[in-house]
Amino acid sequence: MGTEHILSIGGVSCRELAETYGTPLMIYDQAEIERKLTSFRKHFVSDKLQTEVAYASKAFTCKALLQLVKAAGCSLDVVSGGELHCARGAGFPMEKVFFHGNNKTPAELSMILENGVGTVVLDNEMEAALLVEMAAEKQKEIDVLLRINPGVEAHTHQYIITANPDSKFGIYIGERQRIVDLLKLVQSSKFVHFKGFHAHIGSQIFDSQAFLSEIRTLAEFSKSIETELDLPVPFISLGGGFGAYYTEEDQPIPVEEICSLLVKACEEEAEKNALSLQKIIIEPGRSIVAEAGSTLYTVGFCKSNANKNYVFVDGGMADNIRPALYQAKYRCDVVTKADAPKTLTATVAGKCCESGDILIENASLPAVEPGDLLLMYTTGAYGYSMASNYNRLPRPAVVFAKDGQAKLVIRRETFEDLEHLEL
């Protein structure tokens, strides 16, 4: 990685960004986001099937980003009323929205129906019954997918494995009668239209075999349902989970390679099982925004204990909970000393009042002093979206940079913002 990349993002100097917007600062390379969106759209194509790429907005969402997703011709995956509200505010076409979640509230289901959301991904029997009832009351039509767990174990952190039999999401494929009963309920509705199955086998997946196993399982199950219920399964959503590069331990599958592999496998399984399959859907999130985003911090105090050197920064677990939550690993550089030899092994820690507020263990750094700028890479997914106000810390500003220009898309919270809900 060259010095120029370390010192600038989107053609804008990190020093200039810090001086203009302060730190901690979330910086996105806008051109990189656009490139990833375009790449998924370009490579996830088939001569035999329709294809759809839905951005998983839980990775990171704001109006400016959703406008890029819309411009790229992608659809959108939301998981809450708040994300749907943001999509509506960004002018996103509601018919291209998929609404996920294991516990959608009655208010959210009402919001879905009133706003003309394209597709609901059903999670369980109680939700299906409530949606059927509400759609009839409101005389509103809605397409649905049913989330099933194919029992495919992806090799990832236990908190982000989502398809095992005991997952909180969906219905395990082995509990066939539950699925059949739910589908019969949906079939009985004039307003709720079954379109197919959805599955998601985990996150940060580098093993293509896991996706192939998912496709085989979904295809065979779809065929059995079509035969038993005389119910076409025109859509299959494979979810997301495509990996991103955080450290040298990670080997993400290139977009063109994973897309080609998924499409070919779906085409083959559709033909082999004589399916009614018309469309396949994927939901990349992390793989679109993670590497495009970086967090810029200012170094504060440094100290050495018996066994560790600490470098403290002006952010921490409040703006990036992933190291504490998932033991996530990151890389960083001191952008003001890009060419200096890395002679220091240190723990980069935040300012929160928690021993677990560690951003990077054993970081290789040059000699560091207060006021240096430290850039932490690949923070674009699940950084800002999982940020909190722990210790009453304001959330950072977010900037998009492209072609030497920076644009503020989310302003920094103020202390007054932290009190605006208080009575």
Side-chain angles (χ1 to χ4, degrees):
M1 185 171 294
T3 299
E4 184 179 352
H5 178 80
I6 294 172
L7 291 174
S8 66
I9 297 173
V12 186
S13 155
C14 286
R15 185 189 291 277
E16 179 185 333
L17 288 166
E19 290 172 352
T20 305
Y21 301 105
T23 61
L25 180 66
M26 283 288 309
I27 309 159
Y28 283 88
D29 184 332
Q30 181 176 327
E32 175 66 9
I33 296 173
E34 292 168 341
R35 188 186 71 79
K36 282 291 181 71
L37 287 166
T38 300
S39 185
F40 272 106
R41 284 274 291 157
K42 176 183 177 183
H43 295 290
F44 191 64
V45 292
S46 168
D47 294 331
K48 301 175 182 178
L49 300 167
Q50 299 170 45
T51 58
E52 190 165 5
V53 177
Y55 171 66
S57 63
K58 66 192 176 101
F60 171 64
T61 190
C62 67
K63 291 179 182 178
L65 179 66
L66 295 188
Q67 284 157 3
L68 298 183
V69 174
K70 177 183 175 183
C74 293
S75 298
L76 190 66
D77 153 6
V78 304
V79 298
S80 72
E83 289 183 356
L84 181 59
H85 181 80
C86 182
R88 189 174 59 188
F92 204 90
M94 290 292 104
E95 68 273 13
K96 296 186 72 172
V97 173
F98 294 80
F99 200 114
H100 290 253
N102 64 296
N103 190 33
K104 305 174 190 72
T105 65
E108 286 173 331
L109 291 175
S110 179
M111 192 176 176
I112 287 165
L113 294 168
E114 295 296 341
N115 281 278
V117 167
T119 308
V120 170
V121 181
L122 293 173
D123 180 87
N124 57 70
E125 299 94 329
M126 294 177 75
E127 178 189 354
L130 181 57
L131 182 62
V132 165
E133 178 185 331
M134 291 178 68
E137 286 176 359
K138 294 177 179 291
Q139 302 280 291
K140 298 282 188 180
E141 298 194 37
I142 186 77
D143 289 344
V144 298
L145 302 177
L146 173 61
R147 179 162 183 168
I148 57 176
N149 296 333
V152 176
E153 295 280 351
H155 296 291
T156 186
H157 191 282
Q158 62 176 336
Y159 288 176
I160 48 181
I161 294 173
T162 54
N164 65 44
D166 293 321
S167 170
K168 70 177 243 184
F169 298 106
I171 302 176
Y172 176 50
I173 205 165
E175 298 188 78
R176 182 184 180 83
Q177 194 55 50
R178 289 180 59 193
I179 295 171
V180 167
D181 290 345
L182 187 153
L183 294 178
K184 286 180 177 178
L185 171 66
V186 171
Q187 275 185 292
S188 70
S189 170
K190 282 173 36 181
F191 300 96
V192 181
H193 310 299
F194 173 73
K195 291 296 181 180
F197 293 117
H198 164 86
H200 181 73
I201 59 174
S203 191
Q204 193 62 350
I205 299 168
F206 304 124
D207 178 13
S208 62
Q209 291 304 311
F211 290 112
L212 296 181
S213 295
E214 175 194 19
I215 291 167
R216 282 193 298 271
T217 303
L218 287 174
E220 291 168 4
F221 186 76
S222 295
K223 178 60 177 178
S224 71
I225 290 295
E226 288 188 345
T227 301
E228 178 177 345
L229 298 183
D230 191 26
L231 176 66
V233 182
F235 298 173
I236 287 180
S237 173
L238 305 174
F242 314 115
Y245 180 80
Y246 288 86
T247 71
E248 58 196 15
E249 298 175 8
D250 300 326
Q251 296 182 330
I253 308 167
V255 170
E256 57 273 21
E257 183 179 325
I258 190 63
C259 286
S260 174
L261 182 141
L262 296 181
V263 168
K264 182 180 178 184
C266 287
E267 290 173 345
E268 290 175 351
E269 290 295 331
E271 184 174 350
K272 174 183 169 184
N273 292 281
L275 297 180
S276 303
L277 188 62
Q278 298 172 8
K279 180 189 283 189
I280 52 177
I281 304 156
I282 55 171
E283 299 168 351
R286 178 200 311 274
S287 53
I288 287 173
V289 293
E291 295 171 41
S294 302
T295 306
L296 189 62
Y297 298 104
T298 299
V299 173
F301 301 129
C302 305
K303 73 179 180 185
S304 296
N305 291 348
N307 300 304
K308 276 190 177 182
N309 299 308
Y310 280 101
V311 172
F312 299 136
V313 296
D314 56 350
M317 66 189 299
D319 61 78
N320 190 347
I321 193 66
R322 294 187 69 253
L325 188 61
Y326 302 134
Q327 297 79 54
K329 296 180 181 180
Y330 288 91
R331 297 167 295 122
C332 69
D333 275 303
V334 178
V335 300
T336 46
K337 298 176 179 176
D339 295 324
K342 296 184 176 181
T343 56
L344 175 68
T345 299
T347 294
V348 178
K351 63 189 272 76
C352 293
C353 197
E354 292 285 340
S355 295
D357 181 24
I358 305 297
L359 292 174
I360 306 177
E361 294 271 17
N362 300 317
S364 294
L365 300 169
V368 183
E369 55 192 351
D372 283 341
L373 295 175
L374 185 143
L375 188 66
M376 190 160 141
Y377 301 110
T378 318
T379 60
Y382 305 105
Y384 192 91
S385 66
M386 297 178 83
S388 75
N389 295 125
Y390 183 55
N391 290 171
R392 301 287 274 197
L393 292 175
R395 283 178 292 183
V398 181
V399 167
F400 282 9
K402 182 182 179 183
D403 297 334
Q405 300 292 318
K407 176 175 66 175
L408 184 67
V409 299
I410 303 178
R411 69 168 173 82
R412 184 178 307 282
E413 281 186 318
T414 64
F415 292 143
E416 290 72 26
D417 288 330
L418 302 184
E419 298 172 355
H420 81 282
L421 298 176
E422 297 188 20
L423 303 177

